[in-house]
Amino acid sequence: VQLVESGGGSVQAGGSLRLSCTASEYTFSGDCVGWFRQAPGREREGVAVLHTGSGSTVYADSVKGRFTISQDNAKKTVSLQMNSLKAEDTAMYSCATDDLYNWTVYRLEAARYRYWGQGTQVTVS
């Protein structure tokens, strides 16, 4: 599974960005697709995850109410709409996918995912 992220960039605090994660030659079906981020000197953290089978979503407390994860109808792209961005949202954002066992428990754990995109930088000033 090959994943390609797009949509990162630089924005002022309070602004918005939309990240997209597109699967190459693969259709998400019953997988977890998550957005993770890593800032310099910090551990990678789960931001938002969508289970493509059920539509269930989960968000990190730090982004609840500001970020929205969604999937397009063709099930090849999962997007992360980020609003009211803060300086602390600055990080490298990566998407990942896998068919997780016991996904309701482990879906925000980056170590559970085998397939990753290359990442896209988000800088909020």
Side-chain angles (χ1 to χ4, degrees):
V1 179
Q2 292 185 323
L3 304 176
V4 178
E5 301 99 336
S6 61
S10 297
V11 66
Q12 291 187 337
S16 298
L17 284 173
R18 185 176 181 88
L19 306 182
S20 293
C21 175
T22 301
S24 174
E25 301 180 353
Y26 184 78
T27 300
F28 299 123
S29 178
D31 311 278
C32 282
V33 182
W35 283 96
F36 298 82
R37 67 186 182 187
Q38 188 167 23
R42 302 189 65 177
E43 292 187 357
R44 181 179 283 174
E45 64 169 336
V47 174
V49 175
L50 169 73
H51 184 259
T52 59
S54 66
S56 174
T57 59
V58 65
Y59 298 90
D61 288 342
S62 58
V63 306
K64 282 180 181 177
R66 300 188 298 122
F67 291 11
T68 303
I69 189 170
S70 62
Q71 181 181 37
D72 73 359
N73 290 334
K75 297 186 177 181
K76 287 186 175 291
T77 298
V78 171
S79 297
L80 184 69
Q81 178 66 41
M82 305 186 296
N83 298 328
S84 301
L85 283 162
K86 305 175 181 179
E88 50 263 45
D89 294 319
T90 295
M92 178 68 75
Y93 284 71
S94 302
C95 68
T97 190
D98 212 326
D99 180 13
L100 298 184
Y101 170 75
N102 211 359
W103 60 270
T104 57
V105 176
Y106 300 118
R107 50 189 166 170
L108 278 174
E109 295 184 17
R112 301 285 178 171
Y113 291 77
R114 291 175 292 173
Y115 309 108
W116 289 82
Q118 80 288 354
T120 185
Q121 179 67 35
V122 171
T123 302
V124 184
S125 60

